[in-house]
Amino acid sequence: MAFPDGFLWGAATAAYQIEGSPLADGAGASIWHRFCHTPGLVHGGDTGDVACDHYRRWPEDIALMRRLGLQSYRFSIAWGRVLPQGTGTANSAGLDFYERLVDQLLEAGIAPNATLYHWDLPAALDDRGGWLNRDSADWFAEYADLVFRRLDGRVKMWTTLNEPWVVMDGGYLSGALAPGHRNLFEAPIVAHNLLRAHGKAVQAYRASGAHRIGLVVNLEPKYPASDAPQDRVATRRAHAYMNRHFMDPVFRGRYDAVLVRMFGAAWPAFPASDLDLIRTPIDFLGINYYTRNVVRDDAGRFPLPVERPVQRGATYTETGWEVFPQGLLDTLNWVRTRYGNPPVYITENGAAFDDPPVAQGGAVHDALRTDYLRQHLRVLHRAIAEGCDLRGYYAWSLLDNLEWAHGYSKRFGLVHVDYRNQRRTLKDSGAWYARVIASNGQCL
Ligand SMILES: CO[C@H](O)c1c[n+]2c([nH]1)[C@H](O)[C@@H](O)[C@H](O)[C@H]2CO
């Protein structure tokens, strides 16, 4: 099932999850540095102090990308490396690191795809209110403009934010992610400022950039557990809260009325002009897809009354996510029909399984991951046939890495990382993915 000529095959990572050396060469601490160094918040007390040591081993990792035959590499830039205080004086050593990385990617024939924000807000800005402060949109635009002027042209694909929904829900509602708040009234303010920041960065790019910029969202299709009215209502609420929450303002210039009603008194009166900024047109949409959500009404849950009933006979990953490739097709067709079929890249798709240990002779027989990827890639081929403007795919992740509050306990990589000695081992799934890329999907 060959994919269209020019379909872009890649793999993805994020700065705090792989780089290590979070304070090296003048870098400023991020909220994730603080979160990891706060006892009890991250599995096993794990931190990003070393991670995959990518800050020092990046040439070796580019060699691995070449071995995989990657056509593109999605990575994120650590805001605090470039602007240690978040605004003001730039750190040339930080900019130099990303410039070297980009230049060597290009040398290797790998197109850089740079994410400006993958959750690692400079701690100095969190001390000034972080995403709760309306000024955060201007802070982000200043950072974005600095990086655009340094790297645009060599980087031709930019995304502003990675998964603003997770930043809001994890960082300000559940408290499971940095900065660990649990406040219903903060969440809509944070979501709105993230969207304003996105809009200002896109406008900054239009003023100085010459290539393409987009947004990365996590989308998770919602299916009612039964035909009972309360399950259908709960499903619509779950859909409003996760999927339409950011897609509607960015593509339609307004928030979903169901979402506004859900938050009730916690929903502020935002200036209408903000929505004009937020809907500044983008060149493509990045979708991170992992699983679906079967929804049963559970009125007691904060803030969203939904329960995730286990699906009999389904396969679940180590992060508890049901393997459900049909949900990817449903999601892509939903985006195609509701938002005018924008150019889409799957910017993350992958799974954590309990991989077997590295075998004698250096192999990791991670058949479950290969099967997960194969099922989802086959669905992409159908999505294209059904009219979705699907341009490319990035597997999550190039390397095993720091899985946020799970620490190093969950492995998503196409490449195994032995954290005791930083040895990289290509897993069977990575070797298989290299064959998929080489055949443009023909071998699927
Ligand atoms: C619910 O899945 C989310 O879409 C999601 C999953 N993931 C993500 N977002 C993040 O973008 C990555 O940094 C994670 O490492 C990765 C794996 O957990």
Side-chain angles (χ1 to χ4, degrees):
M1 52 176 66
F3 279 64
D5 289 347
F7 188 84
L8 196 63
W9 297 96
T13 65
Y16 191 75
Q17 294 181 268
I18 68 165
E19 288 180 359
S21 307
L23 305 178
D25 303 326
S30 74
I31 54 174
W32 268 96
H33 180 72
R34 285 184 175 174
F35 195 79
C36 288
H37 284 274
T38 303
L41 298 183
V42 175
H43 173 87
D46 290 343
T47 76
D49 289 355
V50 178
C52 305
D53 198 22
H54 179 75
Y55 184 71
R56 300 186 314 152
R57 296 169 185 265
W58 60 272
E60 175 185 353
D61 292 334
I62 290 180
L64 279 168
M65 296 179 213
R66 295 178 80 126
R67 192 172 160 196
L68 285 166
L70 295 189
Q71 298 165 356
S72 183
Y73 171 54
R74 176 179 178 242
F75 63 99
S76 77
I77 293 169
W79 187 342
R81 279 199 200 288
V82 168
L83 285 165
Q85 295 306 305
T87 62
T89 307
N91 175 32
S92 55
L95 283 163
D96 291 348
F97 168 70
Y98 293 108
E99 190 163 34
R100 284 195 302 270
L101 177 69
V102 164
D103 287 344
Q104 288 309 305
L105 285 168
L106 293 171
E107 181 73 23
I110 299 169
N113 176 342
T115 303
L116 290 169
Y117 187 70
H118 201 123
W119 305 358
D120 46 359
L121 184 75
L125 295 181
D126 201 46
D127 292 342
R128 295 164 64 183
W131 294 112
L132 286 163
N133 187 330
R134 245 178 101 84
D135 292 343
S136 54
D138 296 309
W139 304 336
F140 186 67
E142 175 188 342
Y143 155 58
D145 188 56
L146 171 67
V147 173
F148 293 151
R149 292 180 188 280
R150 182 69 174 262
L151 294 174
D152 191 50
R154 288 175 278 177
V155 175
K156 296 181 178 177
M157 267 186 90
W158 296 94
T159 50
T160 55
L161 307 173
N162 178 74
E163 299 189 341
W165 182 87
V166 175
V167 176
M168 171 212 62
D169 182 76
Y172 293 86
L173 267 183
S174 72
L177 303 177
H181 297 195
R182 251 184 83 87
N183 185 321
L184 185 66
F185 287 73
E186 290 185 349
I189 295 167
V190 164
H192 190 72
N193 284 335
L194 284 163
L195 283 167
R196 292 177 55 248
H198 160 76
K200 282 187 177 268
V202 174
Q203 291 187 348
Y205 189 67
R206 296 302 180 221
S208 71
H211 299 281
R212 294 186 297 157
I213 191 164
L215 171 69
V216 170
V217 293
N218 57 295
L219 296 179
E220 185 180 274
K222 312 296 179 184
Y223 304 85
S226 77
D227 283 338
Q230 64 270 32
D231 286 350
R232 290 201 166 281
V233 168
T235 302
R236 177 65 180 82
R237 284 153 59 90
H239 184 52
Y241 178 57
M242 182 184 279
N243 299 322
R244 292 175 59 163
H245 198 145
F246 292 87
M247 290 291 287
D248 276 16
V250 170
F251 285 98
R252 298 167 72 110
R254 61 178 177 273
Y255 286 108
D256 180 1
V258 170
L259 175 72
V260 176
R261 276 199 305 276
M262 280 167 59
F263 276 91
W267 189 271
F270 298 120
S273 57
D274 286 355
L275 272 297
D276 294 333
L277 167 65
I278 290 167
R279 73 182 304 178
T280 302
I282 55 178
D283 301 307
F284 63 87
L285 175 69
I287 295 175
N288 293 352
Y289 177 86
Y290 288 88
T291 188
R292 71 162 171 176
N293 179 191
V294 176
V295 178
R296 178 180 296 141
D297 183 38
D298 172 3
R301 292 284 291 275
F302 166 91
L304 204 58
V306 291
E307 179 197 338
R308 290 174 172 256
V310 173
Q311 299 306 298
R312 265 202 307 273
T315 300
Y316 284 82
T317 70
E318 285 294 296
T319 47
W321 301 337
E322 182 190 358
V323 178
F324 192 74
Q326 178 64 37
L328 177 53
L329 180 61
D330 295 345
T331 296
L332 288 168
N333 278 321
W334 174 68
V335 169
R336 173 172 58 82
T337 52
R338 181 172 174 81
Y339 299 106
N341 202 16
V344 166
Y345 292 83
I346 301 301
T347 34
E348 288 180 26
N349 176 244
F353 290 109
D354 183 15
D355 293 344
V358 179
Q360 288 298 330
V364 178
H365 302 304
D366 59 331
L368 288 174
R369 179 168 297 103
T370 299
D371 191 50
Y372 176 98
L373 296 173
R374 179 187 293 113
Q375 290 184 66
H376 288 80
L377 287 174
R378 284 177 170 169
V379 155
L380 293 187
H381 197 266
R382 272 186 60 194
I384 293 168
E386 294 181 10
C388 297
D389 186 0
L390 190 59
R391 305 286 180 92
Y393 174 90
Y394 293 83
W396 184 268
S397 177
L398 173 69
L399 302 171
D400 291 338
N401 59 54
L402 178 73
E403 181 49 34
W404 306 112
H406 288 298
Y408 297 100
S409 67
K410 309 299 180 192
R411 292 178 177 269
F412 280 83
L414 296 169
V415 174
H416 175 274
V417 176
D418 184 334
Y419 299 109
R420 298 165 303 180
N421 54 30
Q422 291 299 335
R423 184 172 300 130
R424 276 81 161 134
T425 304
L426 186 67
K427 300 180 188 176
D428 291 355
S429 62
W432 169 84
Y433 187 54
R435 294 194 294 275
V436 171
I437 297 171
S439 66
N440 194 28
Q442 188 69 42
C443 70
L444 282 171

